[in-house]
Structure formats: structure tokens, C-alpha cells
Amino acid sequence: MLIDKSKFLFVATSLFFIGLCGIMLNRKNIILMLMSIELMLLAVNLNLIVFSVFLDDIVGQVFALFILTVAAAESAIGLAILVVFYRIRGTVSIEYINLLKG
Amino acid sequence: MYLLLIFFPLIGFIISIFLGRFISPKGSAFISCFFLILSFLLSCISFFEVGLCRCPVYIKLAPWIDSELFDASWGFMFDSLTVSMCVLVTCISSLVHIYSTGYMSHDPHQPRFMSYLSLFTFFMLMLVTSDNFIQLFFGWEGVGLCSYLLINFWFTRLQANKSAIKAMIINRIGDFGLALGIFSIFLAFRTVDYSAVFCLIPYYVNYNIFFFNIEFNLITLIGLLLFVGAVGKSAQLGLHTWLPDAMEGPTPVSALIHAATMVTAGVYLIIRCSPIYEYSSSALFYITIIGATTAFFAASIGVFQNDLKKVIAYSTCSQLGYMVFACGLSNYSVSMFHVLNHAYFKALLFLSAGSVIHALSDEQDMRRMGGLIQLLPFTYVMIVIGSLALMGFPFLTGFYSKDVILEIAYSKYNFLGTFAYWLGIFSASITAFYSFKLIYLTFIANTNSYKTSMQSVHDAPFSMAFPLFILSICSIFVGYLTKDLFVGLGTPFWNNAIFILPDHLNIIDAEFIPIYIKWIPFFVSVFGALLAVILYYFFSKFLFDVVSSNLLFNFAYTFFNKKWFFDRLQNEVFGSFLLKAGYNTTYKIIDKGLIELFGPTGLSNLTFVISKQVSLLQSGKVNQYAFLMFIFFILFISVSLVLTVVTPYIDLQLSFIFMLYVLINNMILNKTK
């Protein structure tokens, strides 16, 4: 069956923009921010897989696998940084991460 | 010999200013007097050779400026006009030098004083002997410089400083005119040599030139610009205010600069440029009007002055008016004759006044003098001789020149001549009046002086009496002896030094005017003198009552005493206006305003404000950073997309202008916030 790829791409793009909005609009919670980043990466993955299927090319899936690992490593490091930060400041609210001003 | 007569004063200057410390005040006084007297003797010889034997001398000394067509060299020209001036300058100057050895004997800076006097004489000689306008300008400026140094001799006195600056600046206004005149001469004739310029003048009679976009006749323009220079130097109406103020210098300086030497430079310039003036009747018109007005104006002020030296200064100003209008009526030789005669009796008057001031321990106010006739008989005699010569008493020096001036004015038979004649007659009577007022208040009236100063009164010592004596002899005899030489009918003395158009020649007419016209100057002078003596002898109380009672008379007295408010006009209208314009417009608006705004300060402020705004973008909030990243990412993509799509249809420059507009608008919005 032939499924219109635009639907897949629409889902991926909306996921990406939802993630983006999650980063931009969120003012309180840094965990939410990390989750939004994950969401964006997942959207990108989805995009890659869709194109890989439709173009009948394996490279996209290879990239998707790479991105999975990179995302895992990134969230691990990000969470580690958060833990360290929490240890020092006692909070992880974004409002208080504003010491570096222009 | 001709060069030595010019450079002897310079040698005197150099020795007494550089070696004055080593050769003591007396030594430097002796040296400078010695060189001046040598120079005077040489001038007499040159007067004999050039003037009497009629063989002019030209010396081309060295090239000075030699650039393409412009060629000014150090050249000296001795014709009868020059040697007359040389004799005059060196004679008065040597007498003033000798006088100063007595007058300034207690001054700690005598070597400096003597050196300035010598330098002044040198520059004056440079001025009169030059053979081109550039070198004349050199002397002209040098004389101005020396007048500054000499007026400012007692440099610790504030008033002397101010007077010297005033003299310098007002002279500079005139010099500006002179410089413009020289420029236009060079523009038209491509030379500044007297001989070449004067040869070419007749060919340029109908030649017009644009000056400040206004078309002028070339010769009129040159004449008027040169006359502006003469107005400054010779203290004619408008630029005369420096002369009375220059009395702040020591009295010998007043005698040298402001009676005999410096102020005559302006008249000398007019006489020297007689070929130029002869071809421009409108320039002659203005010269006559200004000269005659100055004669009247200065005389009217002189009556109401109470300062001994100021009275004499205003009489100088008035007599310069006579000389200038005589030039304006094309009688240059008569004017020169008056210059020569006037120098003797005016130097005599100044030096006698100096003697009085010296005797009264530097009291200058006539109202605080009186009764000096028994104490200073010699000075009294000198001052009477000087005053009689000044008022043109028959058979004294002044008579021969002053009366001739009035006669030639009458015999012009036109508006100008009549104007000058009546103003001259009026001034003559006033001159006699204030001369006798001076004599009466100083010598004859009951004394108003302090007892202490009267106790130390002494008549002039020999070094001061000797020049006075010589000058008095000159004041009596010079006019009679030289009348036929200078202004006698058909005298060959001036051969080519002075040029008068045959149309303008009226010295012959002057001999044949009605006899009562010739008597008028004598009668008005005697009337003025008698009036002064009678008024002050019998009616001094009455005079005082008149002035102090009535508001109108009081105002009139103030009006003349304050010099027709001319200084006030100059200070409050022109001076303060220019000062304020200089401070407000030039300094505050342009220098500290516009240039700073568009220059360093404005630019740095702008950079500061913009960078501050830009750095405000970095608020420290992570989500805002993400937002900015997103916005600019979108912007980047859309611009690159839109450009590829839109370029064929839209002029990019327009969109660039639009973007600029958005940016600037944004900035202004930010500012107003």
C-alpha cells in the first residue's frame, strides 16, 4: 500500500516544533528541556527513517541508529551535568541559571 | 652710506639688547644714542645728496622672494620723499633717545628700552626706504610690533598690557586692508615694485576687478584698501581708538611713536602712492572726507580731556586728519610738509609734557597741576613754543604748513574743499583752545597739586632739556627755512617722488585766494586761545556750574569726555559681539558642538549605545538563547530561500533600503523607550 509520505513528515516536523516550543516556552523545569531535546532528536530520527524507507536507502537508518546512540550519550552527560549542578546550587530551575549575562 | 644709515639703529638695537647686561644701562644708552646720531648725520648727508642735489639712489641689496612672476627683493630707494622722512625719523628719534637717557635713568630696564627705541627706528627706516610694497609691509609690521613692545614697556601694569594689545589689534585691522591692497596690486600688475606699479597705473584707469563679487574700479579698490591700512596706522576716524590709549607707554615713546614716527607711516603710504590715488577721484573723495572728519572729531574730544598726554594725543590725531585731507585734495607735498613740521612741535609738546610729568612725580591729570610757571620756567617756555607752533601762530613752524593746508582746501572750490576747509577752520580754533587750556591749567592757574609733589619739583635735567631746546629751535625755524623747498611754487625738490595730475593741481590757486580767507585761520586760532585763557581765568567757576548744573550740558561734557562713546561703541557693539560670536558660535556650537557630535564624542557614544543594546540581547536566560537561535536560523534559511526566489522580480537595493529603514526605526524606537 502506498502511504503518503507527507503525513509521516508532518508528524515528524510537528514533533520537532513541539520540542522546540518546549525549549523556548518552558521557563521552569530543566528536565523538561532535556526531554524536549530528546523529542527533537526523535523527530529527526523519524524523519530520517521515513526518507530512508521512501528512498529505499539504508544510510538513513544507519544515521538513525547513530543518532540514537548519540542521543543516549548526550542525555546521560546532560543528566550528569544536572546532578552536579544540583549538588552545587540545590535547585535545577532554569530561572536561576542566569549568571552569565551579556 | 645709504645702507649704513638704515642699519646703524639695528646695530644699536643688537648691542643694547644682547650686551646691555654687560655694558650697563649707561653704556647701552650711550651706544644706542651714538648709533642713532650717526644715522642722523648720514641722513643729513643723504638729504643733501638726494634732496638738494637731486640724484636719487637705488640699491638692490639681495633677492628675497623669487618665485616665478613674484619677485620681491631687498631693495632700497632714496628719493626726496624718502630722505625727508629719513631725516625726520632719525632726528626725532635721536632726540628722543637722548631724552630717554634722562627720563628713564631710574628705570631698571633701561637697556631694553633703548634697544626697543632703536629697533623701532630701524623698522621705520625700513618702511620709508623700501622700493617695493612687500618690504614696506615688513617695516609696517615691524613698527607695529615695536609699538606693542614699547607701549607694553612697563609690562607689570595691566592697563599698559591692554593698551598694547589694543594698539596691536586695531593696527592689524588696518594691516589686513593693506595686505589686501598689496595682493590686488600683485594680482593686477604682477609686481610689487613701486617703479613698475606706478608706471603701469595710467594704463589701468578703466580696468575693473571683482572683489567680494562686487565690481570695483581697480585703482579705486587698491587706493581704498591701502587707505584702510593708512587709517589704522595714522589713527583716522574708525580705527583711531588705539592712539589715545597708547599713552600708557612711557612719555618718550609717545613722543616717538605717536607724534612723529609711527602715525606718519600711514600718511607716508598715501603720499608714496600718489600715482595710484591721482587716478582715482573716488578714493580721494573718501580720503578727504575721513581726514577732515578726523581733524574735527579728534579736536572736539581733545577739549574735554583732562589727561595731559591725552590732550596732546588727540591733537596728534587731529593734525593727522589735516595731513590726510591734504592728501585727499591732491596736495601731497603740502601734506608731507605738515608731517615734517608737525613732528617737531608735537615731539616738543610730548617731551615737555613728559618733563612736567617727571617733575610732578608722574601726575598726569591737568586738574591736579597748576602754578608751575615759576617752578618749571624752561618747560613752560618749551610748551608755549610748541603750542603756538601747533595752533599755527604766524612765523612759527605750524603756520607755514597748517595755513597752506587750509588755503589749498579753500581754493579747491568744490564741495570737498569747502567741507574740509570749514572743518579745518573749526578744528584750528579748538586746537588753540585746548592748547591754551593746557598751558593755563598746568602752569598759570592756582595750584591743585599735593604739597609733597610740589616740594620735589625740579626742572628738566640737561639730558632732557637739550632735546627740548633743539626741538624748540626746530619748531620755530624749520617751517620758515624749508617752506620754499617743500611747497614753494614750482619747487623742483620733489621731482618724481610725488605725482599730481595737472587737473588736480591747485597750489597756485591757493596763493591767490581772497586775503580775508587767509586771515581766518589766524583769527580763529587767536580767538580760541584768548577764549581759553579768559574762560579759565575769569569764569572757571561758571564753567564748572554750567557743566554740573544742567543735565544737557552734563551729558554733552560726558559725551565729549568719553570720546563720543566711540570706545564704548567699539567695545560693546563690535568687540563683545565678536567675542560672543567667537565663544558661542565658533567654540560652543561648531568646535565643541557639531564637530564633536559628528566626530569623536558622537561616534563613541553611538558605538557605546548600540553595543549596549546588542549586549542586552544576552539576558542570561537559556530559553531566550534558544529562541534567538531559532529566530536567526529561520531568518538565515528564509533569506537564502527568498533571495533565490525573489531576485529575478525585485530590486535588491530596494529591499536593502527597506531593511535599513527597519533597523533604524528599531533603533529609534529603542532610544525613545
Side-chain angles (χ1 to χ4, degrees), chain B residues 60-67 70-75 126 130-139 192:
Chain B
K60 280 279 182 211
L61 192 60
W64 181 10
I65 304 165
D66 191 357
S67 161
F70 183 47
D71 177 19
S73 52
W74 295 99
M126 220 46 193
S130 78
D131 76 339
N132 60 54
F133 282 101
I134 300 291
Q135 196 179 326
L136 171 120
F137 196 69
F138 171 73
V192 286

Side-chain angles (χ1 to χ4, degrees), chain B residues 209-226:
Chain B
I209 189 171
F210 281 93
F211 182 73
F212 279 110
N213 269 352
I214 304 167
E215 196 170 12
F216 282 100
N217 180 272
L218 173 71
I219 297 174
T220 307
L221 178 72
I222 292 176
L224 287 179
L225 287 175
L226 293 182

Side-chain angles (χ1 to χ4, degrees), chain A residues 20 23-24 97-98 100-102, chain B residues 618-620 623 625-627 630:
Chain A
L20 198 68
I23 291 176
M24 291 192 309
I97 314 178
N98 58 358
L100 282 176
K101 280 180 187 165
Chain B
Q618 297 188 320
S619 56
N623 52 340
Y625 290 165
F627 178 71
F630 175 65

